[in-house]
Amino acid sequence: MSTREAERISAAEETLNTLHDISQLLNTGLDRETLATCVGLIESGVNPEALAAVIQELRRESTATKPTRNANGR
């Protein structure tokens, strides 16, 4: 691997780390892998607002489909 390629990879990792730190401060609930996927989608041309809306909808559906526990934990 060339020095230039190593520097590019290092810069990308540093950027993702910074984005993850910001994500954590904002309590987005996105892990590093999911955040990297979102960044990749946005870099590929996906509308960021549409992506955010999809993530919010998936979270709502996930919450709605989780079984609820009754008062005695069963």
Side-chain angles (χ1 to χ4, degrees):
M1 175 183 324
S2 71
T3 303
R4 182 175 239 169
E5 181 69 14
E7 288 174 355
R8 188 187 67 76
I9 291 171
S10 178
E13 288 174 351
E14 185 176 334
T15 300
L16 184 58
N17 288 338
T18 301
L19 286 173
H20 186 255
D21 290 344
I22 293 169
S23 173
Q24 295 299 105
L25 289 171
L26 296 173
N27 295 318
T28 64
L30 298 175
D31 60 27
R32 198 173 304 272
E33 181 181 354
T34 304
L35 186 60
T37 301
C38 290
V39 168
L41 288 168
I42 292 167
E43 287 176 343
S44 296
V46 171
N47 180 315
E49 291 178 10
L51 180 58
V54 168
I55 291 170
Q56 290 173 340
E57 182 62 26
L58 289 171
R59 285 183 175 166
R60 272 193 292 275
E61 288 180 15
S62 175
T63 302
T65 60
K66 286 183 180 175
T68 57
R69 301 173 91 169
N70 63 22
N72 59 4
R74 291 185 226 164

